[in-house]
Amino acid sequence: MKSFNFLIAILVVFGVLGVCNGGALRKNFYKSSCPQAEQIVQNITWKHVASNSTLPAKFLRMHFHDCFVRGCDASVLVNSTANNTAEKDAIPNLTLAGFDVIDEIKTQLENTCPGVVSCADIVALAARDSVSFQFNKSMWQVLTGRRDGSISLASEALANLPSPFSNFTTLKQDFANKKLTVQDLVVRSNGDSPKTTWPMDDRRQRAMSAKLTGAHTIGVGHCNLFSNRLYNFTGKGDVDPSLNSTYAATLRTKCQSLSDKTTTGCDASVLVNSTANNTAEKDAIPNLTLAGFDVIDEIKTQLENTCPGVVSCADIVALAARDSVSFQFNKSMWQVLTGRRDGSISLASEALANLPSPFSNFTTLKQDFANKKLTVQDLVVRSNGDSPKTTWPMDDRRQRAMSAKLTGAHTIGVGHCNLFSNRLYNFTGKGDVDPSLNSTYAATLRTKCQSLSDKTTTVDMDPGSALIFDNHYFSNLKIHQGLFQSDAALLTNKGATNVVNEMLRSGQFFTEFSQSIQRMGAIGVLTGTAGKIRKICSVV
């Protein structure tokens, strides 16, 4: 019960995130303007919890996902429009539930006292009241007086919600950025609550979204989010030594391979269009502005006319990557082994779970690459994508920053301010600058990114050489001008730093790049009788 009491305290603190100075919140805020407000919220919430015992977990999760992005402003409730993808449609939020109950509460409140009670207060109260149902009394105090925000961006949900692959340093920083402590982190990460047998309709998403939503004491996790701990923790086929051996053995009986429910590999799954019943990889946040699909389609059409049902979309992608880089040299710059087959599964959730984050430290990045049987050498070379000098512009370079993945070519393209501005203004949650960032470079970045909340401004990822394939990125990295935390992380490891130094020699770089991209192109391929040959690359 002591743990639960502390959780209550944390939820009270948590509920004031993003409220200016905390001064607007007070007890019984609606006492005069809408005296029935809190009772209406409780009545409707309890009515639904009585028939749906999964709602407490749903509302706790909704409250967490709302408050960690822009503060507790109900931005998670906003629907997307033709011109904007809202938080609700970000991958971590795709299976949030309970919106219908919030809408019902809001409708009743608008009928009773129009324009008075904010949606943000409704979310905070519903989280409290849903958990309180079984006790028949309010289990913690919710101060009210929040106002609703007017901005809701899917990209912010991805940038602000913690990852399940994070180590303690990263998690601590995520919470510190919200002025929450280690105590808050530990309590919120397991969601201590009274013993309960509530099932979780949305528990699948607890693992897919991989967020510290409170109540990890209930729910399930997908094998792909932890099976590296069972089969390949350091890239050598080993088990995470920190995991209880008996528990690990039990988990292996349920998760019988490292590839259980993970992205298959180079199988052209990124080309597949979403359907009414499935959101495909192409529509995952990291992939929203990938470009060149029309060229792949044109190639496929010509090949189907020439030799129908023979050449896979997966091979087309691998060859097109090589041939596009090779254009200026008028010769193939590396060998592409062929014979890949196309996959039949494409899930947006897998793109989010498998693509590395720009906020990762070196340990996390190394593990991400090791999971794909790639080395530190591959990590350093592929993290910037340096290749022979070229002046090709990048139509999809905007996404290189938005997705913030180690997809090659940090030496070209731009980055959105929101993916690194914490390094300029609030690195440890105290309004400070990342000390590993070159001070002159930081000052220059601040002239372009003028606030933590700037989500539209972009800056070059490789200043001075943003549209050129060369090894200039490494020179910038050495003087601490790596834009993302994941760039700077390369200098925190001796082995990676040695590789960076090697890459300063352009000849050495291209040799290494060619080898790395060949290894990457062999990840998880389907061959022989596995997979299929899709006649249209965008359709399974």
Side-chain angles (χ1 to χ4, degrees):
M1 192 63 182
K2 182 178 179 180
S3 296
F4 180 56
N5 290 336
F6 189 77
L7 173 63
I8 291 173
I10 296 308
L11 288 171
V12 172
V13 173
F14 183 71
V16 302
L17 282 179
V19 178
C20 295
N21 300 322
L25 296 184
R26 63 177 185 266
K27 185 178 180 180
N28 297 322
F29 180 86
Y30 300 108
K31 184 176 181 179
S32 299
S33 58
C34 189
Q36 301 175 57
E38 294 196 25
Q39 191 61 53
I40 289 173
V41 176
Q42 184 189 87
N43 289 346
I44 295 176
T45 302
W46 282 15
K47 177 186 72 174
H48 285 278
V49 173
S51 60
N52 184 356
S53 60
T54 70
L55 282 176
K58 294 176 189 292
F59 283 132
L60 279 175
R61 182 165 174 264
M62 181 189 291
H63 188 31
F64 175 72
H65 281 222
D66 180 38
C67 292
F68 245 67
V69 183
R70 286 195 169 269
C72 308
D73 65 347
S75 53
V76 76
L77 304 179
V78 177
N79 290 334
S80 296
T81 66
N83 299 317
N84 179 64
T85 303
E87 290 175 37
K88 186 187 290 187
D89 291 320
I91 293 297
N93 294 330
L94 286 180
T95 57
L96 284 178
F99 296 111
D100 55 333
V101 180
I102 300 296
D103 289 341
E104 182 179 339
I105 293 169
K106 181 62 173 173
T107 298
Q108 182 61 49
L109 286 170
E110 286 298 306
N111 290 336
T112 304
C113 37
V116 174
V117 183
S118 69
C119 299
D121 274 343
I122 293 173
V123 171
L125 290 165
R128 188 269 312 273
D129 292 342
S130 61
V131 172
S132 301
F133 171 73
Q134 76 175 74
F135 302 98
N136 200 34
K137 66 177 182 178
S138 294
M139 297 304 293
W140 64 85
Q141 185 182 76
V142 174
L143 302 181
T144 45
R146 298 165 187 77
R147 304 277 285 180
D148 299 327
S150 57
I151 297 174
S152 182
L153 302 172
S155 59
E156 293 187 0
L158 187 66
N160 283 274
L161 291 169
S163 164
F165 303 108
S166 298
N167 61 17
F168 182 77
T169 301
T170 303
L171 293 174
K172 181 180 177 182
Q173 184 60 56
D174 288 338
F175 273 64
N177 290 342
K178 307 301 179 184
K179 298 184 179 180
L180 296 173
T181 67
V182 171
Q183 195 88 355
D184 301 326
L185 164 59
V186 175
V187 174
R188 288 292 300 169
S189 69
N190 58 59
D192 289 330
S193 61
K195 186 174 182 181
T196 173
T197 56
W198 299 325
M200 289 280 295
D201 283 353
D202 68 337
R203 57 188 179 176
R204 177 172 179 268
Q205 179 59 15
R206 289 184 169 276
M208 287 172 60
S209 64
K211 306 309 173 189
L212 304 182
T213 56
H216 277 196
T217 188
I218 54 176
V220 298
H222 269 90
C223 291
N224 66 296
L225 293 180
F226 59 85
S227 57
N228 66 300
R229 301 184 70 197
L230 306 177
Y231 295 104
N232 199 35
F233 188 62
T234 66
K236 299 178 180 179
D238 53 341
V239 180
D240 181 350
S242 71
L243 193 61
N244 178 285
S245 59
T246 302
Y247 182 43
T250 299
L251 289 175
R252 282 194 296 271
T253 65
K254 299 180 179 181
C255 304
Q256 297 185 9
S257 74
L258 186 62
S259 60
D260 188 358
K261 294 187 180 294
T262 63
T263 302
T264 304
C266 303
D267 65 348
S269 53
V270 75
L271 304 178
V272 177
N273 290 336
S274 296
T275 65
N277 299 318
N278 178 63
T279 302
E281 290 177 37
K282 185 187 289 187
D283 291 320
I285 293 296
N287 295 331
L288 285 180
T289 57
L290 285 179
F293 296 110
D294 55 332
V295 179
I296 299 296
D297 289 340
E298 182 179 343
I299 294 170
K300 181 62 173 175
T301 297
Q302 181 62 49
L303 285 169
E304 286 298 311
N305 290 336
T306 304
C307 38
V310 173
V311 183
S312 70
C313 300
D315 273 345
I316 293 173
V317 171
L319 290 165
R322 189 270 312 273
D323 294 342
S324 61
V325 171
S326 301
F327 170 74
Q328 76 173 80
F329 302 96
N330 199 33
K331 66 177 182 179
S332 295
M333 297 305 291
W334 64 83
Q335 183 182 69
V336 175
L337 301 181
T338 48
R340 297 168 185 79
R341 305 272 288 181
D342 299 326
S344 58
I345 298 174
S346 183
L347 302 173
S349 58
E350 292 188 358
L352 185 68
N354 283 272
L355 291 170
S357 164
F359 304 106
S360 297
N361 61 18
F362 182 80
T363 301
T364 303
L365 294 174
K366 181 181 177 181
Q367 186 60 57
D368 289 338
F369 272 64
N371 290 343
K372 305 301 179 185
K373 298 184 179 179
L374 297 174
T375 66
V376 170
Q377 194 89 357
D378 300 322
L379 164 59
V380 176
V381 175
R382 290 291 303 165
S383 70
N384 56 67
D386 291 330
S387 63
K389 187 174 181 180
T390 174
T391 55
W392 301 325
M394 289 285 296
D395 287 346
D396 68 336
R397 60 186 181 172
R398 176 172 176 268
Q399 177 58 16
R400 290 186 172 276
M402 285 179 61
S403 64
K405 307 307 175 190
L406 304 183
T407 57
H410 276 200
T411 188
I412 56 174
V414 297
H416 274 74
C417 290
N418 66 298
L419 292 179
F420 59 85
S421 56
N422 68 302
R423 303 183 71 197
L424 306 176
Y425 295 105
N426 198 36
F427 188 61
T428 66
K430 299 178 181 179
D432 53 340
V433 179
D434 182 350
S436 72
L437 193 62
N438 179 290
S439 59
T440 302
Y441 183 45
T444 300
L445 290 175
R446 283 195 295 272
T447 65
K448 300 177 180 181
C449 304
Q450 298 186 10
S451 74
L452 271 170
S453 59
D454 185 349
K455 307 300 187 295
T456 57
T457 305
T458 59
V459 301
D460 292 345
M461 288 194 286
D462 183 10
S465 183
L467 296 179
I468 300 172
F469 270 114
D470 55 20
N471 65 343
H472 186 257
Y473 162 84
F474 292 111
S475 298
N476 280 328
L477 195 59
K478 287 292 290 183
I479 59 174
H480 302 286
Q481 290 188 177
L483 192 62
F484 302 120
Q485 284 175 238
S486 57
D487 293 328
L490 299 179
L491 297 182
T492 64
N493 175 268
K494 183 178 179 179
T497 301
N498 289 339
V499 177
V500 169
N501 291 332
E502 291 175 11
M503 294 307 104
L504 291 172
R505 301 193 298 271
S506 59
Q508 179 71 16
F509 155 71
F510 190 60
T511 298
E512 296 291 345
F513 179 80
S514 297
Q515 294 172 357
S516 290
I517 199 166
Q518 288 180 65
R519 283 193 289 270
M520 188 197 73
I523 293 174
V525 294
L526 302 173
T527 58
T529 58
K532 59 178 66 178
I533 303 295
R534 297 203 294 265
K535 292 186 177 296
I536 301 174
C537 290
S538 59
V539 178
V540 175

